[in-house]
Amino acid sequence: EAQVTQNPRYLITVTGKKLTVTCSQNMNHEYMSWYRQDPGLGLRQIYYSMNVEVTDKGDVPEGYKVSRKEKRNFPLILESPSPNQTSLYFCASSLGLAGGHYEQYFGPGTRLTVT
Amino acid sequence: GESVGLHLPTLSVQEGDNSIINCAYSNSASDYFIWYKQESGKGPQFIIDIRSNMDKRQGQRVTVLLNKTVKHLSLQIAATQPGDSAVYFCAETLAGGADGLTFGKGTHLIIQP
């Protein structure tokens, strides 16, 4: 089944404790992206990657890191989480931009709470 | 990118009626628009898309209309069913898509029995 998977789905952590949220897609998509979703603010892009070893900042990149060493994986890293990073996080992927394939397919979400 | 907004945070309709969800965008350079549906506890799901060189596109029970003159996008759902209850987001991107998608804040569609 074609899908985007994220782990963990739920995470409660403490301020300053490094964490990684994994994202994997099995559709051989070139483009991958991370969003956070907050009440009243909708979905905001954190980082995106157009291909392996190519990453760029989105609208709200502060406090986050990403890497794209393999095509299928795009982990989101919080080196020192803070309470304002409590949010619902979504990973998404799309076939690629060159062919005009802009529609993105989303994972199930990771609900992160930082205390 | 510039924001994409929706007119109403909540829309309540009777089952069987048609629903119209509206979205206003501010960037006239936007080239591609998508509607997503997000059910409770799930990620957004692609519904339908439209490019800026079109003004109407139809899918199964859904129609997207684009009015570039007033920078307005709408999603029409025919014969609304209980399974249509969700939050609907419009999203836009510039030509080339490199900046990713910019999402509106969403409209919660509530289906009354």
Side-chain angles (χ1 to χ4, degrees), chain B residues 29-96:
Chain B
S30 294
D31 179 61
Y32 180 79
F33 304 87
I34 306 176
W35 281 100
Y36 282 91
K37 173 185 180 182
Q38 186 176 20
E39 296 175 278
S40 180
K42 297 183 179 180
Q45 179 183 11
F46 173 87
I47 303 174
I48 192 167
D49 59 359
I50 189 167
R51 295 197 182 279
S52 60
N53 61 354
M54 303 170 69
D55 53 21
K56 181 179 180 178
R57 189 154 189 239
Q58 286 185 289
Q60 186 178 16
R61 277 203 312 121
V62 295
T63 301
V64 55
L65 298 177
L66 175 63
N67 185 332
K68 294 181 287 294
T69 302
V70 295
K71 287 184 272 190
H72 183 268
L73 189 71
S74 69
L75 176 71
Q76 300 178 4
I77 304 173
T80 311
Q81 303 169 358
D84 294 328
S85 180
V87 178
Y88 289 82
F89 295 94
C90 63
E92 56 95 6
T93 189
L94 302 175

Side-chain angles (χ1 to χ4, degrees), chain A residues 61-75:
Chain A
E62 294 77 20
Y64 304 95
K65 286 174 57 177
V66 293
S67 69
R68 188 89 181 275
K69 293 184 170 59
E70 308 165 277
K71 198 171 189 178
R72 63 183 294 130
N73 296 323
F74 190 45

Side-chain angles (χ1 to χ4, degrees), chain A:
Chain A
E1 181 189 354
Q3 60 184 348
V4 178
T5 56
Q6 298 177 225
N7 281 292
R9 295 289 314 280
Y10 302 91
L11 179 60
I12 300 174
T13 190
V14 296
T15 298
K17 185 177 181 181
K18 181 180 178 180
L19 67 92
T20 299
V21 183
T22 65
C23 173
S24 183
Q25 50 91 7
N26 62 0
M27 296 171 278
N28 201 36
H29 283 174
E30 288 186 351
Y31 186 98
M32 298 186 74
S33 183
W34 275 103
Y35 296 86
R36 60 178 288 174
Q37 186 175 35
D38 302 289
L41 296 176
L43 283 150
R44 294 178 293 168
Q45 189 177 48
I46 303 171
Y47 268 94
Y48 63 95
S49 169
M50 296 181 65
N51 215 323
V52 175
E53 301 292 359
V54 180
T55 62
D56 283 289
K57 295 178 180 179
D59 296 321
V60 288
E62 294 77 20
Y64 304 95
K65 286 174 57 177
V66 293
S67 69
R68 188 89 181 275
K69 293 184 170 59
E70 308 165 277
K71 198 171 189 178
R72 63 183 294 130
N73 296 323
F74 190 45
L76 179 69
I77 303 155
L78 284 72
E79 294 272 3
S80 182
S82 62
N84 65 11
Q85 292 178 297
T86 292
S87 187
L88 179 58
Y89 291 86
F90 288 101
C91 181
S93 71
S94 68
L95 185 60
L97 304 179
H101 299 286
Y102 305 146
E103 66 270 24
Q104 295 184 20
Y105 298 89
F106 285 78
T110 294
R111 186 165 293 282
L112 172 65
T113 302
V114 183
T115 61

